[in-house]
Amino acid sequence: DKAATLRRIHPMTDLHEGVANADLAVEAATENLALKLKIFKDMDQHAPAATILATNTSSISITQIAAATQRPTQVIGMHFMNPVPVMKLVEVIRGYATTDSVCNQIMDLSRQLNKVPVEVNDYPGFVANRILMPMINEAIYSLYEGVSGVEEIDTVMKLGMAHPMGPLQLADFIGLDVCLSILRVLQDGFGNPKYAPCPLLVNMVTAGKLGVKSGEGFYTYTPGSKDLVVAQRFT
């Protein structure tokens, strides 16, 4: 199965060539609006007229991304959960102009991929991150205010709420920079101070402590691995 799968993957470094014959293109760049808008403008110019353009964004407005194209009816959110091989959920996010036909095609494709698609509407954070990120932010505030330590906070949520991973470890896994970006999208989109990122999170991102990908966040990690070494102390 591994060999067969790898034979079906054809890496390219030329976006124009990559989308030239595509029925569907799924963008999965980092949570940076300017970058996504550039990618969608390029895809729109070089993909066939019938191509559906999807984004794996976890928080940025589908409607705003679609406005960068000449085909807003064919732009949709297809938010895979991380890690994609394990997680079943796909948030399918309709932009303001997304047609029923496009939405139905993406719902059907998600099922063919053995995923469980859930249709949601285009508001900041959609459903998953509108609920998840304030929880992570509150866990960081609990640490910041000295309520408890890193491992203690995660243990409470794992054993008390049956979460498979504590919120601070999960933040490290997602990337603290990504968490910060999503919280800022929520804060800007709703204009509500309850979404303001914790100062500790801001400082950690500024210092380059991004979690697993940098080797250090709320925990430290074995280089090149997601294996925990030790929880950091914040006192």
Side-chain angles (χ1 to χ4, degrees):
D1 288 345
K2 177 181 176 181
T5 298
L6 289 172
R7 282 196 296 270
R8 292 193 293 269
I9 298 172
H10 305 286
M12 299 179 184
T13 56
D14 186 335
L15 183 146
H16 303 167
E17 181 184 0
V19 301
N21 298 301
D23 297 314
L24 167 68
V26 184
E27 165 273 319
T30 190
E31 285 294 276
N32 179 298
L33 177 60
L35 176 60
K36 289 184 185 293
L37 294 180
K38 180 182 185 304
I39 291 170
F40 269 78
K41 286 178 183 176
D42 287 348
M43 290 197 300
D44 186 44
Q45 290 173 12
H46 294 94
T51 302
I52 296 172
L53 303 182
T55 173
N56 187 49
T57 181
S58 53
S59 63
I60 297 172
S61 168
I62 308 304
T63 303
Q64 188 173 9
I65 292 172
T69 76
Q70 300 300 310
R71 61 180 88 193
T73 58
Q74 293 160 241
V75 176
I76 194 165
M78 197 175 186
H79 179 207
F80 291 86
M81 300 295 118
N82 191 22
V84 178
V86 176
M87 302 293 278
K88 289 288 190 181
L89 177 65
V90 178
E91 273 188 309
V92 177
I93 307 109
R94 299 180 66 128
Y96 187 82
T98 307
T99 64
D100 290 343
S101 173
V102 166
C103 185
N104 290 338
Q105 287 182 70
I106 297 303
M107 295 285 282
D108 288 344
L109 175 62
S110 298
R111 295 186 187 101
Q112 290 175 37
L113 295 173
N114 199 30
K115 300 295 186 182
V116 178
V118 176
E119 182 182 337
V120 303
N121 289 317
D122 185 23
Y123 292 97
F126 317 132
V127 171
N129 281 312
R130 182 171 178 175
I131 295 170
L132 175 63
M133 285 303 152
M135 183 194 74
I136 287 176
N137 199 40
E138 196 63 31
I140 299 171
Y141 264 112
S142 297
L143 177 65
Y144 174 66
E145 294 170 355
V147 177
S148 199
V150 172
E151 290 180 301
E152 291 80 3
I153 291 168
D154 277 355
T155 298
V156 167
M157 296 304 292
K158 286 189 289 185
L159 300 185
M161 312 303 168
H163 290 191
M165 184 184 295
L168 299 177
Q169 185 183 354
L170 179 58
D172 275 356
F173 186 81
I174 294 168
L176 303 190
D177 53 337
V178 175
C179 293
L180 180 58
S181 294
I182 296 170
L183 283 165
R184 284 178 167 157
V185 167
L186 291 168
Q187 185 182 20
D188 292 344
F190 290 114
N192 190 325
K194 76 177 183 178
Y195 297 111
C198 178
L200 174 58
L201 175 61
V202 176
N203 279 350
M204 291 177 71
V205 172
T206 302
K209 310 300 184 184
L210 308 181
V212 171
K213 59 185 163 187
S214 70
E216 184 178 337
F218 294 107
Y219 297 83
T220 56
Y221 299 85
T222 304
S225 169
K226 296 181 176 67
D227 293 337
L228 300 182
V229 177
V230 65
Q232 297 285 4
R233 297 193 66 80
F234 294 82
T235 56

